[in-house]
Structures are given as structure tokens and as C-alpha cells.
């Protein structure tokens, strides 16, 4: 009885049309990476060094300890790569633009270490909104950053100076 | 690692963090940064060796339960110290600790008429609660603040009373502030202890002559050489309720995290005069296993 009914129902079903662009039907816009920067476009916001979340150090010695602008950028990229591959926090980075993160994190470090960059990213609160970051995640990130700085032979005291700028940002990054 | 919580811990969880569900609890995940759980003190609390800090034992944070165990020996000219204990840290909020102290009087035992190698023993039950602040994160000017109680039971009451103590059990109360100043790579701790203990309680509490509670200070400064190595110094003031010339304590220490879970601490300690035997300076060695 039931099977007869289901068979009848199936006869009335239309076969799905072939060649339909379902993204278009549902209004899904495909994100396209900028051919020059390799980054996905973001909604506009006011760019300001104040978004970096702390005042930069003075003098040039600390930047030198990090290998200057290029060394700092490499450390930022390495930190992101280690974190993407870190099972403790990899989930947080899924669906985020890692190309952009590597650039903006490098800019933030470079700005804070007074190595001659402006920070063009968003402020810490906005950038981490909705990620559900916990203190344990920050510790994992710190460990990855320490690993990256260690690989670049940054002296430990200098490593801690960068961390001293980042640690207070926990107030804007951690969600309760 | 998940399991059913023992009843007392459940009560603690409900008291301090009601919204957290049991299935959210992590056991022994090791979320703390290396060394930020401190090392076990001679009283079983987490801290710097001699001084109690505002740290919570174990390597867990807000969503987990950690634990640690330790053994400490101190070799002095006239005495031998051995202590060991366990502690548990709940949600980086509550620390519960137990320690046993065994203080070998060696030849002094004979001199005092106690007998060669007479050993003074004491049990210490501690509880510490982190009120607010974070050692590493948050406002760089706001330290992590904890309050604690240590209930001490001297197991050789007759000896304590014979040297003039009022009681063979007592309770210390502590308030601790600890902060890692990253810019200077310095960890600084200050603790105020309200106590009536003589030589931590090994010679009893208060005096029959009427001496009782006083406020004492414990200070620590530690410099981070690397993620795994710190060197530092500690000062601990002590009362002299018995009029035996009890001195303040001082140490210079080095701690090394051999692995994320194992920390070894070596120190030069100056414990001054103990039961009229002066210049008790020697070596402090401690091993801690923490999860």
C-alpha cells in the first residue's frame, strides 16, 4: 500500500534540470581572489595604525633583533603556517583568508617593532569577533610564535618584548 | 580524557562555574604555557619553592582540571628536609593541595634529648582560590590575585609544646599577587601571610608566652632565560614566637622544565637559625610532575 503510494509519488517528481547554476539561483556570490594580492576582498573599514592594538616600540634595535622588515614578515608567515597545521587551533583558521592574515599579522608585528610598516588590518576586537577564541588557543598561538621566533634566532628577551605588546590584547581577542 | 567527576570536585565546579557542563571539562590537556603553573613549595602549594604564588597548580586553564605531584629534599648542615605532596587545579580557579613534611633532626635530636635522627612530621592541607587577573594576559598592570588557607597539623605535638609552642595545629592565610612582566622577562610575586607557625609549624604554633598571629611577607623575582629555564631569588620573613632566634628565609633558585610536564628546581637556601642551630644554609632540590 505504502510502496504503491511512494511509486506513484515518484512518477510525479520532475527530473532536476541539467545545467542549472544553483549558486546563481540562490544568490551565492563566488569570492574571487584579487589577481595581484591573492587576497579575498573585504568590506571597507577605516585603516589606522591604532587598529594594531598597541603603541610601537621606539628605536631600531628590537627590529634588528627580528631580522628587520623581511625577517618579521617571515616570522609572521611561519607562525600562521604552524598554527594552520596545529590540531589544537587549526579549526579557528578554516574559512579565513590565510594570505591576508599572513600580510596583516606581518604588518602588525612590523609596526609594533618599529620596523617601518603601517598596519592596514582591522582592530583586534573586530578581527576576532565570533571566533570563540579561548585562552588555551592564545597559548597555542604563542607557542607557535615562539617556535617561529626561535627558528629565526630571535633572542628570548626580544621575543618577550613582542609578546608584551600582544598579551594585553587578550582583552579584545578572548570571548567569554 | 573524560570521566565522571568525583563528588567534591562537582561541588567545587558548581560553586565557581555553574554554567560549565561536565562534558566540557578537559582532563590533563596541558593548556598552560610551560612554567606558568609555578613549582611546588615546601608547603605543597604552587609557587616558587619557598614562597607561595597566586598560581593554580596543574597545567589546565578555565575549561579543565590539572594535577601535580612533587618531591623536595633540602640538605642542611645539621638537618635533612624531605617533603612531598599532590595538588589539583580546577578550572584555573581553585587549587587543593596536600603535603607531608619530614624534618630529620639528625645529631641535633640527640642534643635536644629527642634521640638521634628524631624526625618532626607535619601534614599541610591547602586551598587556594584565584580571585581575578592573569599572570600572562590582560591588563599588564593587574596581577593575578589569589587567596589561600593552609591548615597545618604537626604530628609531633609533644615536641612542639616542649619547646614552648601554644598548639600543635594552626592555619595560615595568604594573599598573593603574581605577574609576568614580559617586557622585562621578569616574574614578580608578593605574598602576605597571616600565620602563627613556628618554623612553618614544625615547631608548633604560637607560644605559651602568648605570641600569636603576625603578618609575614614572601617575595619572589624570577628572570626567564628561555621558555624552559628561569633563575630567581626569594625572601620569606618569619616570626620568632618562641624566642629561639628564628630567621627569615632566603633562596637563589634555578628551575628547568625538562619536558612540558616535568620541572626540576635547584636552589641555594639560607634558612638561618633552626632550633638554635645557626647558619642552616644548603641545597634545595625539587622535582615536579604536572598535567
Amino acid at each position: 500500500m505504502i510502496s504503491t503510494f511512494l511509486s506513484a509519488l515518484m512518477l510525479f517528481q520532475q527530473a532536476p534540470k541539467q545545467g542549472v547554476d544553483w549558486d546563481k539561483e540562490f544568490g551565492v556570490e563566488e569570492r574571487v581572489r584579487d589577481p595581484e594580492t591573492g587576497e579575498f576582498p573585504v568590506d571597507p573599514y577605516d585603516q589606522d595604525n591604532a587598529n594594531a592594538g598597541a603603541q610601537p616600540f621606539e628605536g631600531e634595535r628590537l627590529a634588528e633583533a627580528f631580522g628587520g622588515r623581511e625577517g618579521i614578515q617571515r616570522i609572521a608567515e611561519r607562525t600562521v603556517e604552524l598554527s594552520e597545521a596545529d590540531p589544537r587551533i587549526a579549526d579557528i583558521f578554516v574559512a579565513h583568508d590565510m594570505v591576508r592574515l599572513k600580510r596583516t599579522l606581518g604588518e602588525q608585528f612590523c609596526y609594533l617593532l618599529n620596523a617601518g610598516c603601517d598596519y592596514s588590518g582591522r582592530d583586534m576586537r573586530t578581527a576576532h569577533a565570533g571566533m570563540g577564541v579561548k585562552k588555551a588557543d592564545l597559548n597555542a598561538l604563542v607557542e607557535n610564535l615562539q617556535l617561529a621566533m626561535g627558528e629565526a634566532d630571535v633572542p628570548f628577551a626580544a621575543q618577550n618584548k613582542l609578546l608584551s605588546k600582544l598579551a594585553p590584547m587578550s582583552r579584545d581577542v578572548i570571548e567569554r | 580524557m573524560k570521566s565522571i567527576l568525583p563528588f567534591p570536585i562537582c561541588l567545587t565546579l558548581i560553586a565557581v562555574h555553574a554554567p560549565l557542563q561536565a562534558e566540557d571539562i578537559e582532563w590533563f590537556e596541558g593548556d598552560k604555557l610551560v612554567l606558568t603553573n609555578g613549582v611546588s613549595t615546601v608547603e605543597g602549594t604552587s609557587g616558587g619553592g619557598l614562597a607561595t604564588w597566586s598560581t593554580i597548580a596543574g597545567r589546565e586553564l578555565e575549561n579543565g582540571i590539572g594535577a601535580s605531584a612533587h618531591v623536595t629534599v633540602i640538605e642542611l648542615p645539621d638537618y635533612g628536609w624531605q617533603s612531598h605532596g599532590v595538588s589539583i587545579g580546577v578550572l584555573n580557579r581553585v587549587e587543593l593541595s596536600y603535603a607531608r613534611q619530614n624534618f630529620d633532626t639528625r645529631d641535633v635530636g640527640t642534643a635536644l634529648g629527642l634521640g638521634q635522627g628524631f624526625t618532626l612530621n607535619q601534614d599541610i592541607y591547602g586551598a587556594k582560590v584565584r580571585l581575578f587577573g592573569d599572570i600572562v594576559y590582560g591588563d599588564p598592570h593587574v596581577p593575578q590575585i589569589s587567596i589561600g588557607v593552609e591548615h597545618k597539623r604537626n604530628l609531633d605535638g609533644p615536641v612542639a609544646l616542649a619547646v614552648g609552642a601554644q598548639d600543635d595545629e594552626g592555619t595560615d592565610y595568604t594573599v598573593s599577587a603574581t605577574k609576568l612582566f614580559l617586557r622585562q622577562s621578569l616574574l614578580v610575586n608578593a605574598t602576605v601571610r597571616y600565620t602563627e607557625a613556628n618554623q612553618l609549624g614544625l615547631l608548633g604554633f604560637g607560644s605559651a608566652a602568648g605570641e600569636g598571629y603576625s603578618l609575614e611577607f614572601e617575595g619572589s623575582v624570577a628572570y626567564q632565560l628561555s621558555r624552559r629555564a628561569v633563575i630567581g631569588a626569594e625572601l620569606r620573613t618569619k616570626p620568632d614566637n618562641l624566642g629561639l632566634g628564628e630567621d627569615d628565609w632566603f633562596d637563589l633558585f634555578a628551575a628547568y622544565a625538562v619536558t612540558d610536564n616535568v620541572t626540576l628546581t635547584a636552589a641555594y637556601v639560607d634558612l638561618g637559625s633552626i632550633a638554635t642551630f645557626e647558619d642552616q644554609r644548603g641545597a634545595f632540590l625539587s622535582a615536579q610532575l604536572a598535567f
Side-chain angles (χ1 to χ4, degrees), chain A residues 87-108:
Chain A
R88 296 175 295 178
I89 51 174
D91 288 352
I92 296 173
F93 296 93
V94 171
H96 285 89
D97 186 348
M98 291 299 111
V99 178
R100 179 181 160 83
L101 177 60
K102 284 173 181 172
R103 176 177 64 79
T104 52
L105 191 66
E107 284 177 3
Q108 186 186 28

Side-chain angles (χ1 to χ4, degrees), chain B residues 230-268:
Chain B
V230 295
I231 51 171
E234 296 189 293
L235 167 71
R236 176 167 179 170
T237 71
K238 292 169 51 258
D240 185 20
N241 296 329
L242 298 176
L244 296 175
E246 181 170 342
D247 283 321
D248 297 343
W249 284 4
F250 175 76
D251 78 56
L252 296 170
F253 71 89
Y256 187 75
V258 183
T259 72
D260 287 358
N261 303 106
V262 176
T263 308
L264 298 180
T265 308
Y268 163 80

Side-chain angles (χ1 to χ4, degrees), chain A residues 57 88 134-136 138-140 142-143 146 156-157 160-161 163-168 170-171 174 176, chain B residues 30-34 59 61-63 92 130 133-134 136-140 182-183 185 223-227:
Chain A
F57 284 102
R88 296 175 295 178
K134 294 193 174 75
K135 204 174 282 177
L138 286 191
N139 281 353
V142 166
E143 287 176 4
Q146 286 177 323
F156 191 74
N160 270 352
K161 284 197 165 59
L163 294 181
S164 77
K165 292 290 185 188
L166 304 178
S170 62
R171 290 168 289 184
I174 291 176
R176 291 276 154 195
Chain B
D31 287 334
K32 277 193 186 120
L33 291 171
V34 175
R59 304 201 58 238
L61 287 173
E62 288 77 356
N63 53 344
N92 199 28
R130 181 176 66 85
D134 187 287
V136 181
Y137 295 109
D139 190 324
L182 284 160
R183 190 164 182 172
S185 294
Y223 180 76
Q224 269 193 306
L225 296 170
S226 75
R227 278 187 73 226

Side-chain angles (χ1 to χ4, degrees), chain B residues 28 37 40 44 46 57-58 66-70 85-89 288-291:
Chain B
F28 311 139
N37 53 332
S40 303
S46 65
S68 71
H70 78 280
V86 291
S87 50
I88 182 167
Q288 174 179 274
L289 180 64
F291 292 96

Side-chain angles (χ1 to χ4, degrees), chain A residues 32-40 99 103:
Chain A
V32 181
R33 286 189 185 275
D34 184 296
E36 250 174 61
T37 65
E39 295 176 17
F40 289 121
V99 178
R103 176 177 64 79

